[in-house]
Amino acid sequence: MASALLELQDMEVAFTIGKKTYPALQQISFQVKEGETVGIVGESGCGKSLTSLSVMGLLPETAAMTKGGIVLDGKFMEPASPERWGAVRGKQVSMIFQNPMSALNPLMPVGKQIAEMAMTHLSVSKPEAKRLATEMMVKVGLSRVERLYDDYPHQLSGGMMQRIMIAMALICSPKLLIADEPTTALDVTIQAQILDLLREMNRSTGTAILLISHDLGVIREVCDRVIVMYAGYIVEDAPVGDILDHPKHPYTAGLLQSLPGADKRGRPLYTIPGRVPALADRRSGCPFAGRCPSATDLCESVAPDLLQAAAHHRVRCHLYANGGRAV
Ligand SMILES: Nc1ncnc2c1ncn2[C@@H]1O[C@H](COP(=O)(O)OP(=O)(O)OP(=O)(O)O)[C@@H](O)[C@H]1O
Ligand SMILES: [Mg+2]
């Protein structure tokens, strides 16, 4: 069994707005093993990006880790140590974002941006960095790379730019790649190509992937395991097949029902009624109770624990309280 590359231990992240503190992530515990592909899914505002930014040590200024911690490759990551995070970012963990245009420097040729990553983190010479960068550009499926190397971001299509971002993220052979909605801005065909590329990169380089998406369909293409988040909590965590075939949490079931599928053609898509509560509106009890078709009085008043419902299946729901064991 591969060892844990990343471990989040009972992490809480809270925003301070004025004199008030609002927890945005609570009791976040999960592991990513070496080479594993893990998805995080949930609607807008559930805390997916905040989770990934925590792992990169890039929380917004108004947010802080108020409990728990992060262990990366066996080392505890001190939240308040920019040097510690700076040393691992790009080298051990890299990230690609939804909008590559905002992450790339518009004034620098794209090839050079990849080469600079190599020079910064691998201490290689300029010609060697250029050689590695063009090699990486070929690996991520770009063609005519000699010419492309000197192109500026605005000369590239969205799909090509996302490939450049992936090349930049992978040039230093990180152990973990975090991809936050990497295909949301792309059309469906290009989206499928980028997802194939992520899967292929995971196979060929062994880089573990943490893929964030609000779309279970995207996650199913790439990931072995899925973590479902709701209102700042992990509500379910299981192998992708189990989640798709036997979802346990009513929220996961709702997400699945709202996936488009051949059998639903011609019918309007299902949407879960209601919406994710804003930070200031989070109450005691189960955070999903107000939208849950199975909610009881207990759910309104008592927050469920994350239970181990089966060997590789965790769920945070009172429906499973008798068959599960708190973790
Ligand atoms: N800078 C900020 N200041 C205050 N609240 C914030 C800030 N960034 C995020 N939040 C809040 O934290 C919660 C989690 O946000 P996060 O960005 O992690 O959601 P998400 O799951 O990534 O959503 P999306 O699918 O829209 O990207 C939300 O309630 C959001 O409003
Ligand atoms: Mg997000």
Side-chain angles (χ1 to χ4, degrees):
M1 193 74 162
S3 54
L5 174 60
L6 171 72
E7 184 169 4
L8 274 69
Q9 300 174 334
D10 194 27
M11 185 180 76
E12 178 180 287
V13 169
F15 282 96
T16 303
I17 301 164
K19 285 194 176 138
K20 285 201 154 177
T21 301
Y22 300 95
L25 297 177
Q26 293 188 76
Q27 300 172 16
I28 303 291
S29 297
F30 69 89
Q31 292 189 346
V32 178
K33 297 198 164 62
E34 281 181 18
E36 203 181 8
T37 47
V38 177
I40 300 184
V41 73
E43 292 163 292
S44 185
C46 282
K48 307 180 298 295
S49 294
L50 221 45
T51 303
S52 61
L53 292 173
S54 309
V55 176
M56 291 293 284
L58 291 174
L59 283 175
E61 262 179 29
T62 47
M65 208 185 286
T66 39
K67 221 172 142 187
I70 294 178
V71 179
L72 186 63
D73 214 7
K75 293 187 195 73
F76 183 77
M77 299 298 293
E78 212 55 64
S81 169
E83 301 79 34
R84 194 66 177 280
W85 288 105
V88 303
R89 217 179 286 137
K91 207 168 172 191
Q92 275 178 298
V93 194
S94 343
M95 186 155 176
I96 53 176
F97 298 89
Q98 173 173 354
N99 186 352
M101 196 65 188
S102 64
L104 290 170
N105 179 346
L107 303 175
M108 194 192 279
V110 290
K112 199 169 167 203
Q113 297 191 48
I114 305 171
E116 291 229 326
M117 277 297 281
M119 276 161 70
T120 310
H121 291 292
L122 304 176
S123 357
V124 291
S125 69
K126 218 169 164 180
E128 176 65 1
K130 181 166 184 176
R131 192 189 65 75
L132 290 173
T134 41
E135 202 177 272
M136 199 69 217
M137 286 166 80
V138 173
K139 276 194 196 152
V140 297
L142 291 162
S143 49
R144 291 190 290 166
V145 296
E146 293 297 337
R147 226 189 66 199
L148 196 61
Y149 189 92
D150 292 315
D151 278 351
Y152 287 86
H154 72 267
Q155 294 172 279
L156 273 57
S157 67
M160 283 162 95
M161 268 196 285
Q162 200 52 291
R163 286 177 198 267
I164 295 285
M165 282 300 302
I166 295 173
M168 262 173 94
L170 293 181
I171 187 97
C172 302
S173 315
K175 292 190 169 178
L176 175 66
L177 173 69
I178 302 178
D180 191 352
E181 306 271 5
T183 59
T184 310
L186 304 172
D187 66 52
V188 179
T189 323
I190 310 294
Q191 170 170 320
Q193 290 172 7
I194 297 291
L195 295 178
D196 275 351
L197 174 62
L198 288 177
R199 190 87 193 140
E200 168 55 29
M201 285 295 165
N202 165 258
R203 281 202 198 105
S204 61
T205 64
T207 298
I209 295 180
L210 189 59
L211 173 65
I212 290 164
S213 177
H214 60 272
D215 183 348
L216 252 176
V218 163
I219 285 183
R220 141 174 90 188
E221 296 298 317
V222 180
C223 299
D224 306 326
R225 223 179 86 215
V226 193
I227 291 167
V228 184
M229 288 189 71
Y230 186 76
Y233 287 92
I234 293 176
V235 296
E236 190 160 4
D237 171 7
V240 78
D242 292 0
I243 289 270
L244 294 171
D245 297 338
H246 309 287
K248 288 188 185 289
H249 200 286
Y251 179 58
T252 315
L255 287 179
L256 272 172
Q257 241 185 303
S258 49
L259 268 184
D263 53 330
K264 298 178 187 160
R265 204 162 287 157
R267 279 189 277 149
L269 269 184
Y270 172 79
T271 48
I272 305 171
R275 51 191 295 201
V276 182
L279 290 189
D281 298 334
R282 297 194 179 161
R283 309 256 175 264
S284 55
C286 172
F288 190 56
R291 302 173 73 188
C292 182
S294 315
T296 62
D297 290 347
L298 176 68
C299 308
E300 299 287 347
S301 53
V302 179
D305 288 325
L306 192 58
L307 300 169
Q308 196 77 49
H312 300 287
H313 204 141
R314 298 187 298 165
V315 62
R316 188 185 292 279
C317 177
H318 288 307
L319 288 175
Y320 303 92
N322 296 326
R325 160 176 73 77
V327 287

